[in-house]
Amino acid sequence: LEQLAQQPGAGGGAAAAAAAPFIPDCFFATAAALHLGPIATAARYVDLLKQIARFKKQISQIQAAPEVLAPAQRAGLPALVQRWNDQLQAMERERCALDAQVLDPRRLGAMMVFYRLVMCFLLRQVDAGGAFPRAPFALPDEAGGGAGVAADGWNMLPEFLVEDTVEFFVFCSAYAPDALVDGAAQVGRGSDGGLRTFDDVLPLFAAVFLARPEYIHNPYLKAKLVDILHMLTYRDPREDDDYVDTLGGNMPGSLRLHPCIGQFQAGLDDSALARAYLVPALLRFYVDIEKTGASSQFYDKFNIRYYIARTLRALWARAPRYVAATRQFFLAATEGAGCGGSSGATTGSAARDQRVVEEFVARLMTDTTYLLDESLSKLAVIGEIEKRQRQSAPSSPPPPPPEAEGADGEEGDEARRLQEAERMAQSYVSLAHETVHMLAFLSRLVPRPFQASEVVGRLAAMLNYNLVQLAGPKCANLRVADMQQRFSFSPRVLLSELTSVYVHLGLADSQQQQQQPDAGVARFVAAVAEDDRSYSPELFAKAYAILERWSLKSAESLERLQVFAQRCADAKVDSRLVEYLEQHAPDEYLDPLLATLIADPVRLPTSGNVMDLAVIKGQLLSDPRDPFNRAPLTVDMLEPLPDLKREIRQWRDAKAQEYAAAQPPAAD
């Protein structure tokens, strides 16, 4: 601030320089006071609300299933419940006292004015022109910084300055949305009459610091920016009616949303910077959140990715501009069209765009595999336990005496197992639904990245495996009482969107001819048909019958699914031929990781091993190291071996002819 005051045109000269220390002193003293006072109190208030909700839920669960308690505790359950209710009332009294303080509209309005100033100050530090809000904001290059003191001054700012600003808007979005609209006062003196906090500054703030993650290194602080976007673009999952290629859906309009949501989305729609950078930034953060350094990173990433998926879904449903920006970003990255330029969607670098798309597809596919497997397995456990309880209920023997702790322990273990499965299913099912929807939407919008040789085999195997779970002989195991109300689980919608992925990647329509070459379609069809573990033509017939019986797809969509299933049947490779080739192939013709016949050999310069290109590219998407010696390795370091490729092809053709000649003639 002192350097800015001394710049030419700042006004005041020596007098301004002499008075400058007072301004930053007041600024940072106010920020510190809010950090120690209202922001800390708001955090305590939020924690208290969570404790109250968790306490109420635990009390109701124990009252509904007292067998989870030990026999001694169960005998004194009424007194225990009374003690819990007394504690709950004390927590409610504390909440009422905090309500009067943290939700005071006058206090929130004053804080809104200050944090509007903080946002403008922080944006000026990273502004390429260093003049925001007096001049339009210019996003700096990835490796650069803003003007003047931005590069050095940013690193000296206290972290709580950014964190408290984000925390304040997260709190207001969740508990006091009226303050967001009421505090939308004017700042700046531009020709447009100034910028409004909620319509202009806040969308810009979120988009800039997600698009330039080097300014905020804490992944959980960046996740709170996603929280703001998720809450201010909120759509109730119970009212989703935008399922991909699926008829029906939920009935929209039963939940009334705060007007600030539509107002914030309008601000995002009008922001050229957000249209160019927000979707790539969210996709990049989806990839980067894989590793946070925390012990809970494996589970944290799923929650954060869920909010990213919901935010993207809201943007795609409301604004066609963001659908076009997403499509342009994927096409530019996969077709080598380079950076999208100042008006195109990009992370700021063509090489980074390509890396983000490749890793995003790999992460999305991995998440879909894990979440579907976990959610379906937990539902199967719930169905099994509840079925056993229903069967034993009519003929249940009298309660055992207190000393029969063995039977009581078994009953309690099963009740606890059921509660644990229900808790995990509630989380995993929502995550799985959202991940499958994103996969279906993007595979229709930009199919080419999902047909790449390094991912198509794993994707086809994942789709086939889950199709068996949803339409195979064991699909009845997923039936759980009130599964839609208890877990938001809709297996029909899940089946419909999953089969949509097959059609999007295995057939080309008129809108996809330019972006989806026949090689990609053929590659996907072959990958589906070659999956000996799960693929069968009868499985697609069963899925077709379910979709038709419940009217989940239009007649045209069902016909396209039939065409795809027939193509897979026609492309079915004789598995005995593949086995024959792999049994007779020399070791140097087999991939050392998967023991499959190499199609496109490359040498790993870090270890000297020869692998199939598709296999090692898929490996590097999840771990950029040599699988044999853990040395750093990237795709551009791989050395192609065209002579060996030609040698393997000639050997394969000769062996295939030898195998065909040895087969008995087909019977008439």
Side-chain angles (χ1 to χ4, degrees):
L1 287 174
E2 295 178 19
Q3 294 183 28
L4 289 175
Q6 295 172 358
Q7 289 179 0
F22 179 72
I23 299 176
D25 285 349
C26 292
F27 178 81
F28 288 107
T30 304
L34 292 175
H35 173 69
L36 297 174
I39 296 297
T41 305
R44 178 184 173 187
Y45 176 78
V46 173
D47 289 340
L48 180 62
L49 293 179
K50 293 179 180 179
Q51 290 177 14
I52 292 174
R54 186 163 53 246
F55 207 53
K56 288 181 177 179
K57 183 177 180 180
Q58 290 175 350
I59 292 175
S60 63
Q61 286 179 343
I62 291 176
Q63 288 179 317
E67 62 270 13
V68 300
L69 296 176
Q73 291 178 315
R74 195 183 311 169
L77 183 59
L80 195 61
V81 170
Q82 181 60 43
R83 194 180 318 131
W84 288 339
N85 287 329
D86 293 341
Q87 185 177 352
L88 186 60
Q89 289 179 2
M91 296 168 67
E92 290 285 3
R93 288 193 294 270
E94 183 181 0
R95 180 192 63 80
C96 291
L98 288 174
D99 277 345
Q101 183 181 30
V102 299
L103 300 180
D104 180 10
R106 293 174 299 175
R107 175 183 293 235
L108 292 175
M111 293 174 66
M112 178 70 68
V113 172
F114 178 75
Y115 283 115
R116 177 191 64 206
L117 171 63
V118 173
M119 284 194 297
C120 291
F121 168 72
L122 294 173
L123 286 170
R124 175 176 288 194
Q125 304 311 299
V126 300
D127 179 19
F132 183 83
R134 298 179 182 273
F137 183 86
L139 192 69
D141 294 335
E142 181 88 7
V149 300
D152 297 328
W154 179 264
N155 294 326
M156 293 186 288
L157 292 175
E159 185 175 353
F160 72 78
L161 198 63
V162 180
E163 185 174 0
D164 288 356
T165 303
V166 176
E167 289 281 7
F168 175 73
F169 283 99
V170 169
F171 177 82
C172 288
S173 300
Y175 302 102
D178 287 339
L180 295 173
V181 182
D182 295 341
Q186 303 290 335
V187 294
R189 292 196 293 268
S191 60
D192 59 348
L195 302 174
R196 296 181 67 84
T197 302
F198 190 66
D199 300 85
D200 302 304
V201 181
L202 183 57
L204 180 64
F205 183 84
V208 166
F209 288 108
L210 281 174
R212 290 294 178 264
E214 69 274 10
Y215 288 114
I216 300 178
H217 299 289
N218 185 345
Y220 293 101
L221 183 53
K222 287 185 284 189
K224 291 176 181 177
L225 288 173
V226 176
D227 289 345
I228 294 176
L229 292 173
H230 170 248
M231 286 186 285
L232 295 179
T233 58
Y234 183 77
R235 300 176 70 224
D236 189 351
R238 295 169 297 180
E239 299 180 355
D240 286 336
D241 59 349
D242 58 343
Y243 299 118
V244 176
D245 195 22
T246 302
L247 300 179
N250 299 318
M251 295 299 294
S254 61
L255 179 67
R256 294 185 60 186
L257 300 177
H258 196 277
C260 71
I261 293 179
Q263 186 175 338
F264 182 80
Q265 289 183 331
L268 285 177
D269 295 347
D270 294 336
S271 173
L273 187 143
R275 292 197 302 271
Y277 293 98
L278 185 56
V279 169
L282 289 172
L283 296 176
R284 181 180 181 183
F285 190 44
Y286 190 102
V287 171
D288 294 342
I289 202 60
E290 179 75 15
K291 297 179 180 179
T292 64
S295 58
S296 58
Q297 66 179 8
F298 180 78
Y299 300 101
D300 292 340
K301 68 179 182 181
F302 289 121
N303 293 326
I304 296 171
R305 285 173 176 171
Y306 174 78
Y307 293 137
I308 293 174
R310 291 299 304 178
T311 301
L312 289 171
R313 185 170 187 170
L315 294 175
W316 292 331
R318 173 185 170 90
R321 291 177 175 180
Y322 282 97
V323 176
T326 304
R327 183 175 182 273
Q328 186 274 337
F329 173 68
F330 273 86
L331 291 181
T334 55
E335 295 181 355
C339 181
S342 59
S343 61
T346 179
T347 62
S349 163
R352 190 184 306 109
D353 289 350
Q354 182 177 2
R355 179 188 67 82
V356 166
V357 168
E358 290 177 349
E359 294 189 9
F360 170 78
V361 171
R363 299 284 186 267
L364 181 62
M365 187 172 57
T366 302
D367 288 357
T368 305
T369 303
Y370 175 80
L371 293 172
L372 280 174
D373 187 55
E374 287 294 314
S375 58
L376 297 182
S377 64
K378 294 298 180 293
L379 288 169
V381 169
I382 295 170
E384 177 187 350
I385 294 176
E386 292 184 341
K387 180 181 179 180
R388 194 158 51 242
Q389 290 176 343
R390 289 193 301 269
Q391 291 175 345
S392 61
S395 57
S396 58
E403 60 272 11
E405 295 188 4
D408 185 82
E410 293 178 2
E411 181 183 1
D413 288 344
E414 183 162 281
R416 283 188 288 271
R417 185 183 173 204
L418 177 61
Q419 284 189 359
E420 179 67 14
E422 289 177 335
R423 182 185 63 82
M424 299 183 71
Q426 288 173 350
S427 173
Y428 283 133
V429 166
S430 297
L431 293 169
H433 265 292
E434 209 58 46
T435 307
V436 170
H437 172 78
M438 184 184 292
L439 176 62
F441 180 87
L442 290 176
S443 64
R444 177 179 63 183
L445 186 68
V446 279
R448 184 172 177 180
F450 300 92
Q451 298 166 329
S453 58
E454 60 268 22
V455 300
V456 69
R458 292 166 54 202
L459 177 60
M462 181 271 291
L463 293 172
N464 289 341
Y465 174 78
N466 287 291
L467 191 62
V468 171
Q469 305 302 310
L470 293 170
K474 296 183 179 181
C475 63
N477 296 342
L478 302 177
R479 293 176 182 172
V480 177
D482 299 326
M483 56 187 176
Q484 179 67 40
Q485 290 74 22
R486 294 167 62 191
F487 309 110
S488 299
F489 179 55
S490 180
R492 297 167 191 167
V493 170
L494 205 57
L495 175 64
S496 179
E497 292 201 309
L498 202 67
T499 53
S500 296
V501 179
Y502 284 109
V503 176
H504 298 159
L505 302 181
L507 295 177
D509 58 30
S510 57
Q511 295 180 351
Q512 297 173 341
Q513 292 292 340
Q514 299 300 321
Q515 67 188 63
Q516 180 170 287
D518 290 341
V521 174
R523 190 185 300 120
F524 178 75
V525 171
V528 171
E530 291 172 4
D531 178 25
D532 292 329
R533 184 184 68 166
S534 303
Y535 169 77
S536 69
E538 296 77 17
L539 184 61
F540 280 91
K542 179 69 179 298
Y544 179 93
I546 296 174
L547 295 171
E548 184 181 37
R549 181 168 70 249
W550 295 102
S551 300
L552 293 172
K553 289 186 179 294
S554 65
E556 180 183 359
S557 297
L558 288 173
E559 182 181 356
R560 288 174 59 81
L561 180 61
Q562 273 190 322
V563 172
F564 171 78
Q566 185 59 46
R567 289 190 179 182
C568 289
D570 295 341
K572 179 63 178 174
V573 177
D574 188 350
S575 59
R576 292 174 297 176
L577 171 60
V578 176
E579 184 178 352
Y580 176 83
L581 293 174
E582 292 176 352
Q583 286 179 348
H584 292 80
D587 290 343
E588 59 268 22
Y589 290 177
L590 296 176
D591 183 85
L593 279 186
L594 301 184
T596 55
L597 190 64
I598 295 176
D600 191 356
V602 292
R603 177 177 286 110
L604 282 56
T606 47
S607 63
N609 289 281
V610 175
M611 292 185 63
D612 189 49
L613 177 62
V615 175
I616 186 59
K617 286 182 69 175
Q619 172 74 18
L620 294 178
L621 286 175
S622 57
D623 187 2
R625 293 179 294 183
D626 189 314
F628 300 99
N629 59 13
R630 316 307 292 167
L633 181 65
T634 58
V635 174
D636 56 357
M637 296 169 59
L638 302 175
E639 302 171 0
L641 301 172
D643 294 339
L644 180 59
K645 181 178 181 179
R646 182 168 52 254
E647 180 182 329
I648 293 175
R649 186 187 302 115
Q650 292 173 352
W651 177 89
R652 176 184 177 124
D653 293 342
K655 282 293 180 181
Q657 293 177 0
E658 177 183 314
Y659 173 83
Q663 299 305 305
D668 293 335

